[in-house]
Amino acid sequence: MSRSAHPAGPRHADVLPEGHYSAPPADLNTLDKKVWAQTVGRDEHGELTVGGIPATRIAEEFGTPVYVLDETDFRARARAWRTAFGPDADVFYAGKAFLSRAVVRWLHEEGLNLDVCSGGELATALSAGMPAERIALHGNNKSVQEIRRAIEAGVGRIVLDSFQEIVRVAHIARDLGKRQKVQIRITVGVEAHTHEFIATAHEDQKFGIPLAGGQAAEAVRRALQLDGLELIGVHSHIGSQIFDMSGFEVAARRVVGLLKEIRDEHGVELPEIDLGGGLGIAYTSADDPREPHEIAKALNEIVTRECEAAALATPRISVEPGRAIVGPTAFTLYEVGTLKPLDGLRTYVSVDGGMSDNIRTALYDAEYSVALVSRTSDAEPMLSRVVGKHCESGDIVVKDAFLPADLAPGDLLAVPATGAYCRSMASNYNHVPRPPVVAVRDGEARVIVRRETEEDLLRLDVG
Ligand SMILES: *Cc1c(COP(=O)(O)O)cnc(C)c1O
């Protein structure tokens, strides 16, 4: 894919360079429902609106770049997960996808629970009033302080990730005169990526305790012996941006297999299993995500069937969607600054943000869509690469996209499906302040995370 792969010599503008794209879409003005938040559309002037508010008004009022989050869509998706899984299961929103106090309140109101994986996420959850018993603490290297704060606060569960942690959590709980509910995170030898999964004996990664070689069974043995711990279940999380349910089925089967082993060895039936998150969303029109009710049905069926076969009572299931709830609900609004047409290649379109507000393209080669949203255009499609303002040639927001050829400085572009892992992974690279998150609902827009300022940056610099 490197530029040098192209032979030197004359280039023909009608030969498209290598990339992720296929043909230009029939109409560049159409906003595909699949990749945009629920209340997004175009008004009679051709402008994008969300929650009844035009994009240009959001840009004027709050500046660019800005993450625009559709609260109606967020609540609808949270509710859809809650309803799909019903009262006999728990839905834990994975806070690392995007967390703020407003989000915590919406989750609380919609009846969801919350996963946190650091002291900072725990503090945010508690300060916004999420009841501690509805919080789960995750992480492969929780600090002693984080564990202590979580137990003191009374979190509903801590997910244990290593042999050291089993002992560490047990000691801290005993110290505090408590018995902490815990799950053990196991790796079941399933690696899932988007459209396929691989079932292996081993998983070469940092999370969890391997089922292979009896390590998970040994972890259970130890946890059951420690009086600071109440072992309530087993946890498995197989990956992210997954469309293929068969990886979850294999994982569920292996998790239930362990429950059966535990029953046979200890005479104990653990009451809960957690099957993690990782459900994929549509970043481009080519993606076809599963709906929560399909996911719930598939998981319930497999767990029920496997438990019947093993003569186990069906455990309470929990799931942990992050991206699938928040991802599609937000877009990033940018202003175009410069355009650089490179003959026979593509036009580089520079926007006023970049890898500091969306690292996913640089980090994972992620694919995104983009649209001109301050107006419509009937101009020809122009092969473009949307890039940021940072001092890195890898500072790419959208690698390959078609934008109208009359695109000009001052136009507003929006990149959909940036609700998950964008603001939460944002940095201050080049001392660029991080953009705000503006929530829109029923014709009202309000800042839920304010824009960072140069004063914020300078305040930390105490040399
Ligand atoms: C990241 C993570 C999730 C959420 O993953 P998504 O792809 O955002 O759904 C859930 N559970 C655990 C343990 C995770 O680490």
Side-chain angles (χ1 to χ4, degrees), residues 92 94 96-97 115 138 185 207 235-237 239-242 274 276-280 320-324 420-421:
F92 284 78
K96 70 178 197 246
D115 273 356
H138 273 275
R185 177 161 175 178
F207 291 110
H235 179 284
S236 152
H237 173 72
S240 238
Q241 185 59 3
I242 303 164
D274 190 308
L279 280 312
E320 306 175 314
R323 185 194 317 267
Y421 305 109

Side-chain angles (χ1 to χ4, degrees), residues 172-193:
I172 298 171
R174 224 184 34 191
D175 230 35
L176 294 169
K178 296 208 184 189
R179 191 151 180 257
Q180 177 62 46
K181 284 194 169 123
V182 295
Q183 290 189 339
I184 294 177
R185 177 161 175 178
I186 63 169
T187 47
V188 293
V190 170
E191 226 182 280
H193 305 284

Side-chain angles (χ1 to χ4, degrees), residues 226-297:
L226 294 165
D227 50 355
L229 305 181
E230 179 187 348
L231 182 64
I232 57 166
V234 184
H235 179 284
S236 152
H237 173 72
I238 58 170
S240 238
Q241 185 59 3
I242 303 164
F243 293 105
D244 180 354
M245 288 302 292
S246 51
F248 286 100
E249 293 197 6
V250 174
R253 206 171 299 138
R254 292 184 178 177
V255 166
V256 173
L258 179 62
L259 292 191
K260 179 172 181 291
E261 266 184 60
I262 295 168
R263 192 261 328 265
D264 293 347
E265 181 179 340
H266 305 282
V268 176
E269 289 196 26
L270 297 184
E272 293 186 18
I273 59 173
D274 190 308
L275 296 171
L279 280 312
I281 63 164
Y283 284 102
T284 75
S285 297
D287 295 327
D288 222 353
R290 306 271 70 79
E291 295 292 326
H293 66 87
E294 297 175 77
I295 295 158
K297 185 165 176 285

